[in-house]
Amino acid sequence: MARALAKQESASWEMDRSRGQSQTFICTSKRGYDITRNPHLNKGMAFSLEERLQLGIHGLLPPAFLSQDVQLLRVLRNYELKKDDLDRYVFLMGLQDRNEKLFYRVLTSDIERFMPIVYTPTVGLACQQYGLTFRRPRGLFITIHDRSHIPTLLQSWPEKDIRAVVVTDGERILGLGDLGCYGMGIPVGKLALYTACGGVPPQHCLPVMLDVGTDNQELLEDPLYIGLRHRRIRGPAYDELLEEFMKAITDRYGMNCLIQFEDFANINAFRLLNKFRNKYLTFNDDIQGTAAVAVAGLLAALRITQSKISHHTIVFQGAGEAAMGIAELIVMAMEKEGVPQAECLKKIWMVDSKGLIVKGRDHLTPEKERFAHEHAQMKKLEDVVQELKPSAIIGVAAIAGAFTEQILRDMATFNKRPIIFALSNPTSKAECTAEQCYTLTEGKGIFASGSPFDPVTLVDGRKLFPGQGNNAYVFPGVGLGVTACSMRSIPEEIFLITAETIAELVTEKDLAEGRLYPPLTSIRDVSFKIAVKIVEYAYKHKLASLYPEPVDKEAFIRSFIFSTDYDSFTVDSYRWPDEAMSVQNCKL
């Protein structure tokens, strides 16, 4: 009830503010250095003289007064002086540690420019170098040895109203494998995009690393490694840690706190999703987020091929969590076209490290068995493509160059417009480059990738802009929508709705230029529209727990969106009972 009233008050305040009838004041009992060292409160040289005097920071800052616009220019000037992307990543993370509002102002000023730095592909390199670049801890580090003490650890986190948690155990970071505690860069980066792309307030976000050890011998021998120095602990102890973690999070922050699983290995990802999906508000981004963005690309591609998704035969290079998630959502999309599930399954083939997945092959997991068909065993992807003549190939196995010249040429022979998705991250793991796809298919290929590629100019003068199937189109909007209306679980239909929404926002001009996704410059609008669709679905199907139901869903969602504009300050002579910082609705 308290949470609902707080949300309604926030909504009222935001709508008043948009009409110019109120002003945001931050009331705080903090003073002096505490203000300038707190990234939530710090405005740098944008503090007015009155604020500096009231807050006891006059003299702690240079005498000039700089607006946020000028501060942005200074950040951009410094950014341009950095010699490589890793230095740029460290620079931006340092800004996030000092001045949160300015950090998000920078990201949103040119999201297409900065997303590859704070997210893929640079975040992969940042994780590999995490011990070297580590400056200031962000989020919570919970180890296998903290079992039975997790509720106490959560008390250490200063924010009381957490609505989105991103958690990893670091075992399968992007396509880089087991990076152990260095994987913390992923939850930090994901939640930065929750705010930059979805508008989820950063103070409501919590990144978590579950450190159970690492099987990466190089890290165990690295003197800079910041995690536990022993092999991964598995079995009952691991499961007990996860159970306690989920319960502790929801006990402290409520059952409508979103918990996003990120970069868990296949052996744990599916079973944890199946175990928790109906009990908690949770999803696995590698399975469901990747599925939504891939299917969004396929749905957009159908407008080019002028066909239905059920008309296509699809071959996957890879049969892990990403492949399975995409395949299952494709089946759902085909069923929506009226095709029986058994027929849908026959349209999807998978190739793993042992070759084509067929019935009778040894040691198939239940997930793989579902997509195993009667066929002779085949080892090489090239042979599989020549035999099955698919209309679409999707790479999600992090095997660089898996889509060979022969495969790409064959795809253009079988199909008028072959669909070729090289979705593995980071860029170094991509199955082929955009240039290879467009050149070897003579411009016929409909291409999407997981990491960004530069535009390609063909010999006939056409300039094509490769579509980036970035999960950032999915999880910020999903996170904003499910938390806004306080859902208690996330049905799979949410991800098909998300895929359809993204595809609908691709214009004919985008398609003509080779784009299968809306421009990244519009990603905040994409997230907003996804959130609205989710809220509409939640109330229609009685999945929301926040009532009364808002009449204007768009205004309701806007009321939650974080603003990068600086707030004004006033000094509070006493400490707020629940937190040291609070927002007052001060009428002018």
Side-chain angles (χ1 to χ4, degrees), residues 193-200 258 260 283 471-484 487 494-495 498 501-502 523-535 557:
L193 295 188
Y194 260 74
T195 301
C197 301
V200 178
L258 173 64
Q260 175 181 323
F283 73 99
N471 286 25
Y473 283 109
V474 174
F475 62 81
V478 170
L480 179 62
V482 302
T483 57
M487 290 176 65
I494 289 293
F495 296 97
T498 298
T501 303
I502 296 169
I523 197 166
R524 283 178 71 92
D525 186 54
V526 173
S527 297
F528 174 77
K529 286 182 167 59
I530 289 170
V532 172
K533 291 278 190 181
I534 288 173
V535 169
I557 292 296

Side-chain angles (χ1 to χ4, degrees), residues 252-304:
R252 179 156 175 77
Y253 303 121
M255 292 301 295
N256 46 18
C257 177
L258 173 64
I259 304 172
Q260 175 181 323
F261 280 71
E262 194 68 45
D263 288 357
F264 283 71
N266 292 343
I267 56 173
N268 290 317
F270 289 108
R271 68 184 190 87
L272 292 176
L273 176 61
N274 292 332
K275 184 176 186 178
F276 296 132
R277 67 189 309 167
N278 295 320
K279 187 177 179 181
Y280 298 100
L281 184 66
T282 186
F283 73 99
N284 184 301
D285 187 49
D286 304 297
I287 298 173
Q288 296 160 292
T290 301
V293 78
V295 171
L298 288 174
L299 294 176
L302 297 179
R303 290 161 57 187
I304 298 174

Side-chain angles (χ1 to χ4, degrees), residues 14 171 177 248 329 402 404 430 487 499 567:
E14 276 289 347
E171 189 169 4
L329 204 61
T404 63
M487 290 176 65
D567 299 311

Side-chain angles (χ1 to χ4, degrees), residues 163-413:
R163 303 181 190 181
V165 173
V166 175
V167 59
T168 187
D169 70 354
E171 189 169 4
R172 193 205 61 82
I173 298 298
L174 301 176
L176 302 171
D178 187 347
L179 295 186
C181 204
Y182 283 179
M184 182 54 134
I186 296 297
V188 169
K190 289 279 185 180
L191 287 172
L193 295 188
Y194 260 74
T195 301
C197 301
V200 178
Q203 65 269 26
H204 295 161
C205 299
L206 173 61
V208 176
M209 160 57 62
L210 297 180
D211 189 352
V212 299
T214 178
D215 291 335
N216 186 325
Q217 190 61 36
E218 186 177 339
L219 291 182
L220 293 174
E221 296 172 359
D222 182 359
L224 299 180
Y225 184 56
I226 62 175
L228 294 178
R229 293 180 181 274
H230 58 62
R231 295 280 173 183
R232 284 187 172 272
I233 293 177
R234 305 185 186 276
Y238 179 91
D239 289 348
E240 289 169 13
L241 177 73
L242 267 296
E243 286 277 10
E244 184 183 343
F245 169 74
M246 299 296 284
K247 185 175 186 304
I249 288 289
T250 50
D251 282 351
R252 179 156 175 77
Y253 303 121
M255 292 301 295
N256 46 18
C257 177
L258 173 64
I259 304 172
Q260 175 181 323
F261 280 71
E262 194 68 45
D263 288 357
F264 283 71
N266 292 343
I267 56 173
N268 290 317
F270 289 108
R271 68 184 190 87
L272 292 176
L273 176 61
N274 292 332
K275 184 176 186 178
F276 296 132
R277 67 189 309 167
N278 295 320
K279 187 177 179 181
Y280 298 100
L281 184 66
T282 186
F283 73 99
N284 184 301
D285 187 49
D286 304 297
I287 298 173
Q288 296 160 292
T290 301
V293 78
V295 171
L298 288 174
L299 294 176
L302 297 179
R303 290 161 57 187
I304 298 174
T305 61
Q306 296 184 338
S307 59
K308 295 183 177 181
I309 195 167
S310 55
H311 294 166
H312 290 266
T313 298
I314 302 165
V315 167
F316 283 85
Q317 167 62 28
E321 55 200 89
M324 294 298 172
I326 298 169
E328 291 291 354
L329 204 61
I330 290 173
V331 170
M332 184 179 290
M334 288 181 176
E335 287 184 290
K336 196 170 181 178
E337 292 180 349
V339 180
Q341 186 178 102
E343 293 301 313
C344 300
L345 294 172
K346 292 177 182 178
K347 299 279 189 177
I348 298 170
W349 298 76
M350 293 192 178
V351 177
D352 64 8
S353 60
K354 297 178 182 178
L356 185 64
I357 294 176
V358 296
K359 286 192 179 298
R361 212 185 79 177
D362 295 336
H363 309 301
L364 290 179
T365 64
E367 292 83 13
K368 291 183 179 182
E369 184 69 45
R370 181 166 162 81
F371 294 98
H373 308 304
E374 294 288 353
H375 197 281
Q377 291 194 3
M378 305 182 76
K379 294 290 186 182
K380 296 177 63 179
L381 180 62
E382 285 184 348
D383 295 336
V384 171
V385 169
Q386 287 181 343
E387 171 76 12
L388 298 178
K389 295 180 172 51
S391 51
I393 53 175
I394 300 176
V396 282
I399 300 176
F403 294 168
T404 63
E405 179 178 343
Q406 183 65 51
I407 289 173
L408 295 173
R409 291 190 186 280
D410 284 345
M411 288 294 293
T413 302

Side-chain angles (χ1 to χ4, degrees), residues 8 28 49-50 183 232 275 337 356 382 424 470 547:
Q8 290 170 0
T28 179
L49 178 59
E50 182 182 8
R232 284 187 172 272
K275 184 176 186 178
E337 292 180 349
L356 185 64
E382 285 184 348
S424 292
N470 195 319
Y547 283 91

Side-chain angles (χ1 to χ4, degrees), residues 460-502:
D460 61 8
R462 282 187 297 155
K463 189 173 185 179
L464 298 176
F465 296 82
Q468 185 189 355
N470 195 319
N471 286 25
Y473 283 109
V474 174
F475 62 81
V478 170
L480 179 62
V482 302
T483 57
C485 61
S486 297
M487 290 176 65
R488 293 295 178 88
S489 63
I490 305 177
E492 205 64 27
E493 288 81 4
I494 289 293
F495 296 97
L496 185 55
I497 290 169
T498 298
E500 291 169 343
T501 303
I502 296 169

Side-chain angles (χ1 to χ4, degrees), residues 443-473:
K444 296 179 182 178
I446 302 172
F447 179 80
S449 59
S451 289
F453 282 102
D454 291 332
V456 176
T457 302
L458 303 179
V459 291
D460 61 8
R462 282 187 297 155
K463 189 173 185 179
L464 298 176
F465 296 82
Q468 185 189 355
N470 195 319
N471 286 25
Y473 283 109

